[in-house]
Structure formats: C-alpha cells, structure tokens
Amino acid sequence: LNGSSSGSVSIDAPASTTSGADLTFKLPIADGSAGQVLTTDGSGNWSWADQGVCIQYVQVESETDTDLGSHTSSAWTDAPSPFNSIQITPKRAGSKIKVVLNIAFYQDQGDLDFGITFSHKVGSGSFTRQGPQGSADDKGLFNGYFNSPGGAADYVWPVHIDYIDTPSSYSLGDVLTYKFEYKTNKDDCHWNGIRTKLGYARLEEWV
C-alpha cells in the first residue's frame, strides 16, 4: 500500500501456514469506533468489537439513615429509596452489568443475622433474585452475623457488593430495573446508619 505522498505499508504472509492451507481473511465493512479492536469468528471473518470497557453508568446516592422497623423473619424486603429502583438501558446487546453497593448496616442488639442481595427485571417482566437463597437470614450476596455476649451492642457493618450480572433475554431499548433487598432476624436495624455516611449504588454497562 503506497502512501499518498511517500512511503508504503505492506502486510507479509507467514513463511508457511498450518498444513500448507490457503487462508482468506475478510476485513470489516466499516472503520469501527475509537477504542475498538479487531476480533475474529475463527472462520476468517474479522469485525470491530469493544473490549473490556464501561460504556455507561447510573449511580444513586443517599446520606439518609433509615430505621428498618420490624423485621419479617426469613423474607426478603425491598431496601429504602433510592436503592429500591435503579434503571439502566443497555446500549449494546449481550452486555454485562456491574452492580455495586456501598452502605453501612447498623444494629444495637446481639445475635444478629442479616443478608443483602439484589434482584433485576427486564422491562415489565418479573424480578430475578441473585445469590444464595433459602429460609435463613444469612443469605444473599452479602451476609453478616454478630453475637454480643450479654445482649445489647452497637455494631456497624460496612457493606460492599461488587458483582457482575449477566441479564439474559433483553433487547436493545429494554429498560433493566435493579433493586436491593435485605432480610434480618432483628427489629430496628438501620440502612446506612447510624453514623450517617454517603451510601451509593451504581450500575455499569460493560462490553
């Protein structure tokens, strides 16, 4: 290939191919987008693809300390707003969604079991819960236990979830809705308390 003013670029074939086979490679029909790389389908067809990049994110934040009141034993309960409904519309088919949660979970009683997880749904469909299930309170993607000899205690759990979700059967234009959920065996636990800090949750689309 000759340059428009001077110089040239060449592509050289290897000295030999596997079993001396003749190979044909088909280039993409467009020039791709910034940051994309050439990939192959294993049959000689090349195409442009995004590689390991976050192409968008949605983040919610809150400094509110929420008393969760009476517990419902062994039942998942929606987290307080804004952690009970976070939406993202994927820009690519087959994307992975990185789900991040960072809050504090507080209790002032001993012998505490609790679990935190999330569910997602596609469009107006039904929610699908992630993580280990079961009747016990210490299930989900994050679980904690604290036994205070003598009864009352003050304890703050730093809760961090960092999970790659692969939602299935969505089409471009579909809205994915995520909600965090908890269950606990004690009343009056606090979501993001009691010494309030900035709690946040984030959805990232990765391709």
Side-chain angles (χ1 to χ4, degrees), residues 32-160:
S33 302
Q36 289 187 314
V37 295
L38 271 177
T39 63
T40 178
D41 64 357
S43 298
N45 299 301
W46 293 357
S47 61
W48 297 107
D50 297 305
Q51 176 124 350
V53 294
C54 175
I55 59 175
Q56 67 162 327
Y57 72 90
V58 176
Q59 181 164 299
V60 298
E61 301 175 351
S62 176
E63 294 184 20
T64 301
D65 166 20
T66 302
D67 188 329
L68 300 178
S70 299
H71 76 284
T72 303
S73 183
S74 301
W76 290 102
T77 303
D78 289 358
S81 179
F83 302 96
N84 60 347
S85 183
I86 312 167
Q87 295 184 326
I88 190 168
T89 303
K91 296 181 178 181
R92 301 279 197 278
S95 292
K96 298 181 184 300
I97 306 298
K98 183 177 182 181
V99 182
V100 177
L101 175 69
N102 192 72
I103 58 108
F105 196 87
Y106 167 81
Q107 62 88 32
D108 63 359
Q109 304 176 60
D111 198 23
L112 169 78
D113 278 311
F114 75 94
I116 295 176
T117 192
F118 71 84
S119 296
H120 79 254
K121 70 176 181 177
V122 179
S124 59
S126 301
F127 279 101
T128 300
R129 184 171 296 117
Q130 304 300 310
Q133 306 301 308
S135 59
D137 296 302
D138 56 343
K139 297 296 182 181
L141 294 173
F142 185 99
N143 58 76
Y145 171 74
F146 182 66
N147 183 16
S148 173
D154 288 289
Y155 199 84
V156 177
W157 287 84
V159 175
H160 185 74

Side-chain angles (χ1 to χ4, degrees), residues 124-202:
S124 59
S126 301
F127 279 101
T128 300
R129 184 171 296 117
Q130 304 300 310
Q133 306 301 308
S135 59
D137 296 302
D138 56 343
K139 297 296 182 181
L141 294 173
F142 185 99
N143 58 76
Y145 171 74
F146 182 66
N147 183 16
S148 173
D154 288 289
Y155 199 84
V156 177
W157 287 84
V159 175
H160 185 74
I161 292 174
D162 192 325
Y163 185 87
I164 299 295
D165 186 39
T166 307
S168 60
S169 303
Y170 75 84
S171 302
L172 290 181
D174 284 342
V175 176
L176 306 183
T177 302
Y178 286 77
K179 65 175 181 178
F180 288 94
E181 302 166 293
Y182 69 90
K183 60 180 178 177
T184 176
N185 66 338
K186 295 295 182 180
D187 293 341
D188 299 321
C189 293
H190 288 240
W191 182 279
N192 207 42
I194 188 169
R195 292 177 174 83
T196 307
K197 69 183 190 71
L198 179 65
Y200 62 86
R202 185 170 61 250

Side-chain angles (χ1 to χ4, degrees), residues 1-3 6-12:
L1 301 176
N2 294 318
S6 63
S8 64
V9 175
S10 63
I11 298 176
D12 193 14

